[in-house]
Amino acid sequence: MGMVGGGPGAFIGAIHRHAAALDGEIELVCGAFSADPTSSQSFGESLHLDSDRCYPNYATMFAEEAKRPASERMQFVTIVTPNYLHFDAARLAFEHGFHVFCEKPATMSTREALELAQAKEASDCHYALAHTYTGYPMIQEARQLVAAGGLGRIVKVVVEYTQGWLASSEDQSTKQASWRLDPLKAGVSCCMADIGVHAANLAEYVSGTTITELCSDVGTVVPDRQLDDDGTVLLRFKNGARGALLASQVHIGDENNLRLRVIGDYRALEWSQLEPNTLWIKSRNEATQMRRAGVGVVCPQAAGNMRTPAGHPEGYIEAFANLYRGFVSQIRSSSAHQKDTHNAPQLPGIEAAVRGMAFIENVIAAGQSDKKWVPNAVPTGGGVLQ
Amino acid sequence: MGMVGGGPGAFIGAIHRHAAALDGEIELVCGAFSADPTSSQSFGESLHLDSDRCYPNYATMFAEEAKRPASERMQFVTIVTPNYLHFDAARLAFEHGFHVFCEKPATMSTREALELAQAKEASDCHYALAHTYTGYPMIQEARQLVAAGGLGRIVKVVVEYTQGWLASSEDQSTKQASWRLDPLKAGVSCCMADIGVHAANLAEYVSGTTITELCSDVGTVVPDRQLDDDGTVLLRFKNGARGALLASQVHIGDENNLRLRVIGDYRALEWSQLEPNTLWIKSRNEATQMRRAGVGVVCPQAAGNMRTPAGHPEGYIEAFANLYRGFVSQIRSSSAHQKDTHNAPQLPGIEAAVRGMAFIENVIAAGQSDKKWVPNAVPTGGGVLQ
Amino acid sequence: MGMVGGGPGAFIGAIHRHAAALDGEIELVCGAFSADPTSSQSFGESLHLDSDRCYPNYATMFAEEAKRPASERMQFVTIVTPNYLHFDAARLAFEHGFHVFCEKPATMSTREALELAQAKEASDCHYALAHTYTGYPMIQEARQLVAAGGLGRIVKVVVEYTQGWLASSEDQSTKQASWRLDPLKAGVSCCMADIGVHAANLAEYVSGTTITELCSDVGTVVPDRQLDDDGTVLLRFKNGARGALLASQVHIGDENNLRLRVIGDYRALEWSQLEPNTLWIKSRNEATQMRRAGVGVVCPQAAGNMRTPAGHPEGYIEAFANLYRGFVSQIRSSSAHQKDTHNAPQLPGIEAAVRGMAFIENVIAAGQSDKKWVPNAVPTGGGVLQ
Amino acid sequence: MGMVGGGPGAFIGAIHRHAAALDGEIELVCGAFSADPTSSQSFGESLHLDSDRCYPNYATMFAEEAKRPASERMQFVTIVTPNYLHFDAARLAFEHGFHVFCEKPATMSTREALELAQAKEASDCHYALAHTYTGYPMIQEARQLVAAGGLGRIVKVVVEYTQGWLASSEDQSTKQASWRLDPLKAGVSCCMADIGVHAANLAEYVSGTTITELCSDVGTVVPDRQLDDDGTVLLRFKNGARGALLASQVHIGDENNLRLRVIGDYRALEWSQLEPNTLWIKSRNEATQMRRAGVGVVCPQAAGNMRTPAGHPEGYIEAFANLYRGFVSQIRSSSAHQKDTHNAPQLPGIEAAVRGMAFIENVIAAGQSDKKWVPNAVPTGGGVLQ
């Protein structure tokens, strides 16, 4: 694995490295960690990389790695830069024949996402988007339960992702905050692009249906910001279900309060990222069930994505590692016809990339519209997507 | 105290009787419990009332009680009928000089509520609306905290009230359900009039600001119902805060899941009716506080509304009893210049009645509008309200 | 109902009055509220009692009330004094033919309890002991579940009751604390007599088996106290189960943290008084069940002891009121062959009184013994108890 | 790093590999994974090890690795076998100059532990014992808080570790269960050696004082087992505090329910492994604090042991990885005078090994004694320990 971005002070790059390392199946062999070549070099060396594989930029990295013998080059790249570099780095990786594991949001715009989808199509490469929360075992359990009809017909989906880390104007001077609030680096949105898109993805991922219309109240709570830091969105789903999505970075004191409720006409489920090993199942006349990761019977997709079978708490890094393991499994199974032995999660891929960018743009546009309902239009990119 | 409604099988009437009895300050002395005079008679007797004070209807009750010497007549009436009788019974009570404690929603329409406000104004009577949740000690604590500036400037209010008891079409055959889903008995709304209005009231009660605009997605999830059973409302508040209100009777498996989050620019609070003795206070850099009713220092309005100082759980009936105690305190203090010794909660009164009816009508109307934002217009009724 | 004790500043007396009033079936008609006759008089009047039924002491009260016509006298007495008066007041009540509802611990010693049992036997009166926690609906659910074999064979019982209100030497100056720490008023124990006995009672009440041996570490954490404020007891039960009981008044910051775990060889249950409406049921291979009061199917003994069928929180006063309702039901059914329509809880009675006193004495004695295991000897009082 | 044990089907070996890999600072380079050389070979190859470093047994591994140039040999060994091999493998490792990271319990007996302490003393090697739970950030926070006097004087310690995985006789046929219940492989205890020793270690680790006396009720709940599966222990600490330790493997339905309460005369703390990112701090008159890993201000020892600063849940593997990181830091700082940059946790070492084995033996012996209190005698091994 090679890495683009994730240099000194970058929070998410370190998480990716931990997650990739966890299972002993992925080795970080090269990187272009920083816009500053010196910093990239020294940072790579601090990670015990070979000096000559600490590259000054990703273009050089792709070119140089591609020259190496197949058995000695990096097999895929993970892109953990600020948003504005995702598209170019991913496209270039595809051109050099490298698989791509990319941070969300996939690109800066739906247009870029569609272009990226075409670049992927033209290559023979895999692509996965870091919708980390799909990697949690109990999200897998939830998804399987819904797919098996365990909730009946889905009638309502409520998803929330509230944080407090941008609640104060003082917060925005950090490295993490400054680029996320800069339209040139983040795109049309801060809150929706950073966390709203996770929530929308999770809602669709678990419910098995898609958002077709939305009504959006998105805005900026803390003065003097160029991008949104808070938003609430009313949702309509393809299957007729209603819903709501709450995303905020100004709920002061909140951690990563991602919470999903899917309500069917037979049963309902609830899940919260703050206690990710628990899935609640409610029904009309029976006791509420608390299903726990690692206890009793969970589906193979949940059980296969746990490392501590006896009921020890697993967390965010493990969820991330499940995506990496799934990605490795994808690459191997396509290249060597190996079978996935871990019931890897269904990975968000290029379709999720396009859907996510369209959602972000649609929510921001709808927020400026006087019309209540606007379609969540998702272009199909000339046949790339169904 | 006399009671209108609350006969055999009426859930809320029994709660009112428990709550009124709890402190030994209120005696049920008469009632018109049922539309059926025989049933009213026998039910009243089962409650140990004098036979001749079990009345066939409320008109008779008011007339007869008014004839009794002042020291022997009922001092106020509590109205716990289905919605469509609230207005007439309350107005008639005022005309006979009886104070009124009434179930919500106050009337069938804003127009009726305004008329009722005038009737109250013309009398010398007190009026309280059973927004029960305002009676919880930790809601008092929350309200005082906000009023004292403990959260800073309020920027967001999220309030939810989700239930599951109407999740199935089978559920609507019960006595409770059938009238609530009947426009002739319930008015323009089921879900919003039954629980949405509680949520809106609580949001304003604690935040200290008022809802000025709304955008509403309200509808019917279970087929073949004439009134709404689910709705989500985007909110704008007078002070500039944003918000969301979720109300539903089809979240299968949910109890009375009323939950309030008020977010300021300094701190935020969370409260849930399922654990009403806890108030959470979150901030940017300090540990989250769990304030508990009866433990440590809470404000006099919270402490004064508890009966178990040492930290035993109190519940819904106690909250209800706090409203009754507050109402008695109001009546006494106006008649005899007595001082309230219990820090009785600020009671929702005739203004809350009008605001509540306007909210219900506005949400239903907004739900049918293509326009995104509609004003939460609240008529002032010729000077009755500020 | 008449009341002995419970005057100004007495916390538990007020709770008893609330609980007795809740259902409108019990009227407080007289009392001897204080050792000071003037105080008793004025306090009774503040409760709206007739002046001539505010008595200077309980002996006078029993004598005077007994002279009244049967239909106009108090029907039972509730005793809420400090411990040292329980025995004499109860015995005298029996002699005058009054039923007794008494605070725990029943007496100052096992010897007194046995004498009381004989006095009760010689009368035609009912006796109930205020083991309040048995009145919670979900304790009824738990008890029925165990009795029906729902846990399999019981192998372990862990019960805890930890409070923090005596954690500091400053705490002991309050009225509540001073008599509880005074051997002349409280007896041989503070912590075990005040809360340990509740825990022991609950363990036996739910598990359906009895404590036959114990090993006790009981002592005083805060210096200069004459009685225990903390203790841990190892338990052996008649059916072979093991167990532990933790009681403390010095767990600083704890409320009334009463928690019960009963473990069977098939399933286990957990209950906590801090969230009394929830009963957890765990098993080997199934999801953990969260049974909630008022939701779905609970047993008649649980459902019949709730007042808010739709899932609103109930609390301590309601649990207390369930005992009162059960006591009234007992009295009525014996006198008038009425049927209990509320599935009243099985009330702790005179046998629980004797068992409780024996447990307290045994724990204190065992604490001073070098021998590990001592029998939890419970004298049978000449045939009164089986 | 080399590994002894942890072959196919061994749960804890995999956890160690994940934990060691997480930070990219430790590479597994060799192993003797199984008593069966063929299995060891193929298993090592499945982990991508060089064929010639998959050894048939640990003796060979130590001998062969020691022959390699210093820069190419394993630097430390991790021992994850069943208990009966810990001692010999660790001692032999010391003799060959390899640092040792070992699963608990350290050995089969106190005598072995003392011998091991001498072997370590005679070498120049580091030793760490896998008391995983000490690696949790909030345990570090708790320990620092106590050390800084934040609770006042410690007066009570209650620690519980209850599991349900051996609740049924059917459970004991698994690989994990069979050796733990076999005295030849596990030693004198199952439950106390497997989890009781963790609880005892944690109690001492956080409270900063040591267990000096104990009274033990330890036994076998499920018939036909040779070793204990349940036990409760009364504790006395050096500083005068009292305590209790509950350990069980037959609390059916329990996961790894490790819970610690430390009560001081000023404040108290609570922590539960099921929600390891939360530390509760209770006091007499203030709101209860919920300190969360990654939110607000925690001590450097807590903050430095987290990888997700923004408040994502971390779990068991991360706690384990903190121990590995601390061990690497120890090794490096002694060899190269590097400074620990992560505020590595204070690692349980050879003293904890001896204390743990003594505790296990003392609890089992005390369980058979008629005497209530027995000293928790810990031999000092001729000066090795203070």
Side-chain angles (χ1 to χ4, degrees):
Chain A
M1 173 176 99
M3 177 170 274
V4 177
F11 135 71
I12 203 70
I15 299 291
H16 279 259
R17 289 190 295 271
H18 291 307
L22 189 64
D23 290 309
E25 297 291 325
I26 297 170
E27 190 184 1
L28 179 67
V29 294
C30 62
F33 299 102
S34 169
D36 169 14
T38 317
S39 167
S40 183
Q41 184 72 31
S42 63
F43 189 75
E45 288 171 5
S46 78
L47 300 173
H48 313 295
L49 297 191
D50 288 350
S51 287
D52 59 350
R53 296 179 85 178
C54 302
Y55 298 101
N57 54 61
Y58 59 79
T60 307
M61 179 165 92
F62 297 153
E64 292 299 313
E65 287 290 318
K67 289 181 197 160
R68 300 174 71 96
S71 66
E72 292 174 24
R73 72 171 73 124
M74 75 169 184
Q75 290 176 273
F76 72 93
V77 64
T78 190
I79 301 172
V80 296
T81 63
N83 303 350
Y84 70 105
L85 296 169
H86 292 177
F87 168 61
D88 190 58
R91 190 186 48 178
L92 205 57
F94 287 146
E95 286 177 12
H96 285 82
F98 293 115
H99 308 294
V100 172
F101 190 104
C102 189
E103 256 305 320
K104 44 61 20 207
T107 59
M108 291 285 274
S109 67
T110 312
R111 193 186 48 73
E112 278 185 3
L114 287 167
E115 250 187 80
L116 186 65
Q118 287 178 324
K120 178 190 174 296
E121 193 78 345
S123 79
D124 207 30
C125 296
H126 290 274
Y127 176 85
L129 192 63
H131 279 310
T132 321
Y133 309 102
T134 62
Y136 276 113
M138 297 319 273
I139 286 296
Q140 292 298 317
E141 179 79 5
R143 178 176 155 99
Q144 298 303 323
L145 183 69
V146 173
L151 305 190
R153 181 174 60 92
I154 303 307
V155 299
K156 188 94 175 277
V157 180
V158 180
V159 64
E160 306 166 55
Y161 197 150
T162 55
Q163 304 175 321
W165 72 291
L166 291 177
S168 162
S169 56
E170 297 167 51
D171 293 319
Q172 64 215 45
S173 56
T174 67
K175 179 168 180 173
Q176 304 303 329
S178 60
W179 73 255
R180 278 183 174 81
L181 287 163
D182 176 353
L184 295 179
K185 295 189 175 163
V188 297
S189 162
C190 173
C191 177
M192 285 296 155
D194 200 35
I195 56 173
V197 70
H198 272 311
N201 174 265
L202 199 66
E204 296 191 341
Y205 189 83
V206 172
S207 73
T209 180
T210 52
I211 300 167
T212 50
E213 278 186 292
L214 46 81
C215 165
S216 159
D217 179 22
V218 60
T220 306
V221 167
V222 176
D224 300 325
R225 285 180 175 169
Q226 299 185 67
L227 296 176
D228 57 301
D229 54 21
D230 180 88
T232 308
V233 189
L234 306 177
L235 306 173
R236 289 285 167 80
F237 289 84
K238 193 173 184 179
N239 80 334
R242 296 154 175 279
L245 181 153
L246 286 78
S248 184
Q249 294 166 320
V250 298
H251 278 220
I252 197 162
D254 268 9
E255 304 180 44
N256 291 285
N257 189 14
L258 172 62
R259 189 174 167 225
L260 177 67
R261 287 176 272 181
V262 181
I263 294 105
D265 61 3
Y266 171 50
R267 292 196 290 190
L269 66 79
E270 283 191 31
W271 178 85
S272 164
Q273 207 250 156
L274 295 180
E275 207 337 71
N277 300 294
T278 301
L279 181 68
W280 298 93
I281 300 171
K282 299 178 169 186
S283 62
R284 194 162 155 255
N285 283 319
E286 294 155 40
T288 293
Q289 283 185 30
M290 181 176 76
R291 292 195 192 173
R292 292 277 297 169
V295 182
V297 180
V298 292
C299 70
Q301 287 82 355
N305 281 290
M306 294 171 58
R307 288 166 189 80
T308 51
H312 279 98
E314 304 200 18
Y316 179 69
I317 294 175
E318 288 85 346
F320 230 131
N322 288 334
L323 295 194
Y324 271 102
R325 193 158 67 179
F327 193 55
V328 166
S329 176
Q330 254 188 27
I331 294 171
R332 285 185 179 154
S333 64
S334 66
S335 65
H337 310 292
Q338 284 195 351
K339 208 178 153 298
D340 165 29
T341 55
H342 288 293
N343 288 288
Q346 177 72 31
L347 293 183
I350 197 72
E351 181 172 348
V354 176
R355 290 196 68 81
M357 292 316 303
F359 176 79
I360 294 165
E361 289 183 348
N362 291 334
V363 166
I364 298 299
Q368 290 152 356
S369 163
D370 284 342
K371 212 156 148 277
K372 188 151 80 176
W373 291 103
V374 303
N376 181 31
V378 182
T380 58
V384 174
L385 309 172
Q386 289 83 42
Chain B
M1 174 175 99
M3 179 169 274
V4 177
F11 135 72
I12 203 71
I15 299 290
H16 279 258
R17 288 189 297 270
H18 292 306
L22 188 64
D23 289 309
E25 298 290 326
I26 298 170
E27 190 183 1
L28 179 67
V29 293
C30 63
F33 300 103
S34 167
D36 170 17
T38 317
S39 167
S40 183
Q41 184 71 32
S42 62
F43 189 75
E45 290 171 6
S46 78
L47 299 174
H48 312 295
L49 298 191
D50 288 350
S51 288
D52 60 350
R53 295 177 87 179
C54 304
Y55 297 101
N57 55 60
Y58 58 79
T60 308
M61 180 165 93
F62 297 153
E64 292 299 315
E65 288 290 319
K67 290 181 195 160
R68 300 173 71 93
S71 67
E72 291 174 27
R73 72 171 75 123
M74 76 170 184
Q75 290 176 272
F76 72 92
V77 64
T78 189
I79 301 173
V80 296
T81 63
N83 305 350
Y84 71 105
L85 296 168
H86 292 177
F87 169 61
D88 190 59
R91 190 187 47 181
L92 206 57
F94 287 147
E95 287 177 10
H96 286 81
F98 294 115
H99 308 296
V100 172
F101 190 104
C102 189
E103 256 305 319
K104 45 53 32 199
T107 59
M108 290 285 274
S109 66
T110 311
R111 192 186 48 73
E112 280 185 2
L114 287 166
E115 252 187 76
L116 187 65
Q118 288 178 323
K120 178 190 174 296
E121 193 77 346
S123 80
D124 207 30
C125 296
H126 290 275
Y127 175 85
L129 192 62
H131 279 308
T132 321
Y133 309 102
T134 62
Y136 276 113
M138 296 320 272
I139 286 296
Q140 292 299 317
E141 177 79 6
R143 178 176 155 99
Q144 298 303 323
L145 183 68
V146 172
L151 304 191
R153 181 174 61 93
I154 304 306
V155 299
K156 187 93 176 276
V157 180
V158 181
V159 63
E160 308 166 55
Y161 197 151
T162 55
Q163 304 175 321
W165 72 291
L166 291 177
S168 161
S169 55
E170 296 166 52
D171 293 319
Q172 65 214 48
S173 55
T174 66
K175 179 169 180 173
Q176 303 303 328
S178 60
W179 73 256
R180 279 183 174 81
L181 287 163
D182 177 352
L184 295 178
K185 296 190 173 161
V188 298
S189 164
C190 174
C191 177
M192 284 296 155
D194 200 35
I195 56 174
V197 71
H198 271 311
N201 174 265
L202 199 67
E204 295 191 342
Y205 189 83
V206 172
S207 72
T209 181
T210 52
I211 300 167
T212 50
E213 278 185 294
L214 47 81
C215 165
S216 158
D217 179 22
V218 60
T220 306
V221 166
V222 175
D224 300 326
R225 285 179 175 168
Q226 296 185 70
L227 296 175
D228 57 304
D229 54 20
D230 180 90
T232 308
V233 189
L234 306 177
L235 306 172
R236 290 285 166 80
F237 289 83
K238 194 173 183 181
N239 79 335
R242 297 152 175 279
L245 182 152
L246 287 77
S248 184
Q249 294 166 320
V250 298
H251 278 220
I252 196 162
D254 268 10
E255 303 178 44
N256 291 285
N257 190 14
L258 172 62
R259 188 174 168 227
L260 176 68
R261 288 175 271 181
V262 181
I263 293 104
D265 62 2
Y266 171 50
R267 291 197 289 191
L269 66 80
E270 282 191 33
W271 178 84
S272 165
Q273 207 249 158
L274 294 180
E275 208 337 69
N277 299 293
T278 302
L279 180 68
W280 298 95
I281 300 170
K282 298 178 169 185
S283 63
R284 194 162 156 255
N285 282 319
E286 295 155 38
T288 292
Q289 283 184 29
M290 181 177 74
R291 292 196 192 172
R292 293 276 299 168
V295 182
V297 180
V298 291
C299 69
Q301 287 83 353
N305 280 288
M306 295 171 56
R307 290 166 189 78
T308 50
H312 279 98
E314 304 199 18
Y316 179 70
I317 293 175
E318 288 85 347
F320 230 131
N322 289 334
L323 295 194
Y324 271 101
R325 194 159 65 179
F327 193 55
V328 166
S329 176
Q330 254 188 27
I331 294 170
R332 286 186 177 154
S333 63
S334 65
S335 64
H337 309 291
Q338 285 197 350
K339 207 176 155 298
D340 165 28
T341 54
H342 287 295
N343 287 290
Q346 176 72 29
L347 293 184
I350 197 72
E351 179 172 348
V354 176
R355 291 196 67 80
M357 292 317 302
F359 176 79
I360 295 166
E361 288 183 348
N362 291 334
V363 166
I364 298 298
Q368 289 153 358
S369 163
D370 283 343
K371 214 158 147 276
K372 189 152 80 178
W373 291 103
V374 303
N376 181 32
V378 181
T380 59
V384 173
L385 309 172
Q386 290 84 41
Chain C
M1 172 176 100
M3 178 170 274
V4 177
F11 136 72
I12 203 69
I15 298 290
H16 279 260
R17 289 190 296 270
H18 292 307
L22 188 64
D23 290 309
E25 298 290 325
I26 298 169
E27 192 183 359
L28 179 67
V29 292
C30 63
F33 299 103
S34 169
D36 168 15
T38 317
S39 168
S40 183
Q41 184 73 31
S42 63
F43 189 75
E45 289 171 5
S46 78
L47 299 174
H48 313 295
L49 298 191
D50 288 350
S51 287
D52 59 350
R53 296 178 86 180
C54 304
Y55 297 101
N57 54 60
Y58 59 79
T60 308
M61 179 165 93
F62 298 153
E64 291 300 314
E65 287 290 318
K67 291 181 195 160
R68 300 173 72 93
S71 66
E72 291 174 27
R73 73 172 72 124
M74 77 169 182
Q75 291 176 270
F76 71 94
V77 64
T78 189
I79 302 172
V80 296
T81 62
N83 304 349
Y84 70 106
L85 296 168
H86 291 179
F87 168 61
D88 190 58
R91 191 187 47 180
L92 205 57
F94 287 147
E95 287 178 9
H96 286 81
F98 294 115
H99 308 295
V100 172
F101 190 105
C102 189
E103 255 306 320
K104 44 65 12 212
T107 59
M108 290 285 275
S109 66
T110 311
R111 192 187 49 72
E112 279 185 3
L114 287 167
E115 250 188 80
L116 187 65
Q118 287 178 324
K120 178 191 174 295
E121 193 77 345
S123 79
D124 207 30
C125 297
H126 290 273
Y127 176 85
L129 192 62
H131 279 309
T132 321
Y133 308 102
T134 62
Y136 276 113
M138 297 318 273
I139 286 296
Q140 292 299 316
E141 178 78 6
R143 178 175 155 99
Q144 298 303 323
L145 182 69
V146 173
L151 304 191
R153 182 174 61 92
I154 303 306
V155 298
K156 187 95 175 277
V157 180
V158 180
V159 65
E160 307 166 56
Y161 197 150
T162 55
Q163 305 175 320
W165 73 290
L166 291 177
S168 162
S169 56
E170 297 167 50
D171 293 319
Q172 64 215 46
S173 56
T174 67
K175 179 168 179 172
Q176 304 303 328
S178 60
W179 74 255
R180 280 183 174 83
L181 287 163
D182 176 353
L184 295 178
K185 295 189 174 163
V188 298
S189 162
C190 175
C191 177
M192 284 296 155
D194 200 36
I195 56 174
V197 71
H198 272 311
N201 174 265
L202 199 66
E204 296 191 343
Y205 189 83
V206 172
S207 73
T209 181
T210 52
I211 300 168
T212 49
E213 278 186 293
L214 47 80
C215 166
S216 159
D217 178 23
V218 60
T220 306
V221 167
V222 175
D224 299 324
R225 285 180 174 168
Q226 297 186 69
L227 297 176
D228 56 302
D229 53 20
D230 180 88
T232 308
V233 189
L234 305 177
L235 307 172
R236 289 285 167 80
F237 289 84
K238 193 173 184 179
N239 79 335
R242 296 154 174 278
L245 181 153
L246 287 77
S248 184
Q249 294 166 320
V250 298
H251 278 220
I252 197 162
D254 268 9
E255 303 179 45
N256 291 286
N257 189 14
L258 172 61
R259 188 175 169 227
L260 176 67
R261 287 175 272 180
V262 180
I263 293 105
D265 63 2
Y266 171 50
R267 291 196 290 191
L269 65 80
E270 283 192 31
W271 178 85
S272 165
Q273 207 249 157
L274 295 180
E275 205 341 70
N277 300 293
T278 301
L279 181 68
W280 298 94
I281 300 170
K282 298 178 168 185
S283 63
R284 194 162 156 255
N285 283 317
E286 294 153 41
T288 293
Q289 283 184 30
M290 181 177 74
R291 291 195 193 173
R292 292 277 297 167
V295 182
V297 180
V298 291
C299 70
Q301 287 82 354
N305 280 290
M306 295 172 57
R307 289 165 189 80
T308 51
H312 279 98
E314 303 200 17
Y316 179 70
I317 294 175
E318 288 85 346
F320 230 130
N322 289 334
L323 295 194
Y324 271 101
R325 194 158 65 180
F327 193 55
V328 167
S329 176
Q330 252 187 30
I331 294 171
R332 286 187 178 151
S333 63
S334 66
S335 66
H337 309 292
Q338 283 195 351
K339 207 178 152 300
D340 165 28
T341 54
H342 288 293
N343 286 289
Q346 176 73 29
L347 293 184
I350 197 71
E351 180 172 348
V354 177
R355 291 196 67 79
M357 292 316 302
F359 175 78
I360 294 166
E361 289 182 347
N362 291 334
V363 166
I364 298 299
Q368 290 153 356
S369 163
D370 285 342
K371 211 156 149 276
K372 188 151 82 176
W373 291 103
V374 304
N376 181 32
V378 182
T380 58
V384 173
L385 309 173
Q386 288 83 42
Chain D
M1 174 175 100
M3 177 169 273
V4 177
F11 135 73
I12 203 70
I15 299 290
H16 279 259
R17 288 190 296 270
H18 292 307
L22 189 64
D23 289 309
E25 298 291 326
I26 297 170
E27 190 182 3
L28 179 66
V29 294
C30 63
F33 300 102
S34 169
D36 169 15
T38 316
S39 168
S40 183
Q41 183 72 31
S42 62
F43 189 75
E45 289 172 5
S46 79
L47 299 174
H48 312 296
L49 298 191
D50 288 350
S51 288
D52 60 350
R53 295 177 87 177
C54 304
Y55 296 101
N57 54 62
Y58 59 79
T60 308
M61 181 166 92
F62 298 152
E64 292 300 313
E65 288 290 318
K67 290 181 196 160
R68 300 174 71 95
S71 66
E72 290 174 27
R73 71 171 75 122
M74 75 170 184
Q75 290 175 272
F76 72 92
V77 64
T78 189
I79 301 173
V80 296
T81 63
N83 304 351
Y84 71 105
L85 297 168
H86 292 177
F87 168 61
D88 191 58
R91 189 186 48 179
L92 206 56
F94 288 146
E95 287 177 10
H96 285 82
F98 295 114
H99 307 295
V100 172
F101 189 106
C102 188
E103 255 305 320
K104 46 52 30 201
T107 59
M108 290 285 275
S109 67
T110 312
R111 192 187 48 73
E112 279 186 3
L114 287 167
E115 252 187 77
L116 186 65
Q118 289 178 320
K120 177 188 173 300
E121 193 77 346
S123 79
D124 206 31
C125 296
H126 290 275
Y127 176 85
L129 193 63
H131 279 310
T132 320
Y133 308 103
T134 62
Y136 276 113
M138 297 319 273
I139 286 297
Q140 292 299 316
E141 178 79 6
R143 178 176 155 98
Q144 298 303 323
L145 183 69
V146 172
L151 305 191
R153 181 174 61 93
I154 303 306
V155 298
K156 186 94 174 278
V157 180
V158 181
V159 64
E160 306 167 56
Y161 197 151
T162 55
Q163 305 175 322
W165 73 290
L166 290 177
S168 162
S169 56
E170 296 168 50
D171 293 319
Q172 65 214 47
S173 55
T174 67
K175 180 170 181 173
Q176 304 302 330
S178 59
W179 73 256
R180 279 182 173 82
L181 287 163
D182 177 353
L184 296 178
K185 295 189 173 163
V188 297
S189 164
C190 175
C191 176
M192 285 296 155
D194 201 33
I195 57 174
V197 71
H198 272 310
N201 174 264
L202 199 66
E204 297 191 340
Y205 189 83
V206 172
S207 72
T209 180
T210 52
I211 300 166
T212 50
E213 277 186 293
L214 46 82
C215 166
S216 158
D217 178 22
V218 60
T220 305
V221 168
V222 175
D224 300 325
R225 285 179 175 169
Q226 298 185 69
L227 296 176
D228 57 302
D229 53 21
D230 181 89
T232 307
V233 188
L234 306 176
L235 306 173
R236 288 284 166 81
F237 289 83
K238 193 172 183 180
N239 79 334
R242 296 155 175 278
L245 181 153
L246 287 77
S248 184
Q249 294 166 321
V250 298
H251 278 220
I252 197 163
D254 268 9
E255 303 179 43
N256 291 286
N257 189 15
L258 172 61
R259 188 174 168 227
L260 177 67
R261 285 175 274 180
V262 180
I263 293 103
D265 62 3
Y266 171 49
R267 292 196 290 191
L269 65 81
E270 282 192 32
W271 177 84
S272 165
Q273 207 249 157
L274 295 180
E275 208 340 71
N277 300 292
T278 301
L279 180 68
W280 299 93
I281 299 170
K282 299 178 168 185
S283 62
R284 193 161 157 257
N285 283 320
E286 295 154 38
T288 293
Q289 285 184 29
M290 181 177 75
R291 292 197 191 172
R292 291 276 298 168
V295 182
V297 180
V298 290
C299 70
Q301 287 82 353
N305 281 289
M306 295 171 57
R307 290 165 188 79
T308 51
H312 279 98
E314 304 200 18
Y316 179 70
I317 294 174
E318 288 85 347
F320 230 130
N322 289 334
L323 295 194
Y324 270 102
R325 194 159 66 179
F327 194 55
V328 166
S329 175
Q330 255 189 25
I331 294 171
R332 284 186 179 154
S333 62
S334 66
S335 65
H337 309 290
Q338 284 197 351
K339 207 178 154 297
D340 166 28
T341 55
H342 287 294
N343 287 289
Q346 175 72 29
L347 293 184
I350 198 71
E351 180 173 347
V354 176
R355 289 196 69 79
M357 292 317 303
F359 176 79
I360 295 166
E361 288 182 350
N362 291 335
V363 167
I364 297 299
Q368 290 153 357
S369 163
D370 284 342
K371 212 158 148 277
K372 189 151 80 176
W373 292 103
V374 302
N376 181 32
V378 182
T380 58
V384 174
L385 310 171
Q386 290 85 41

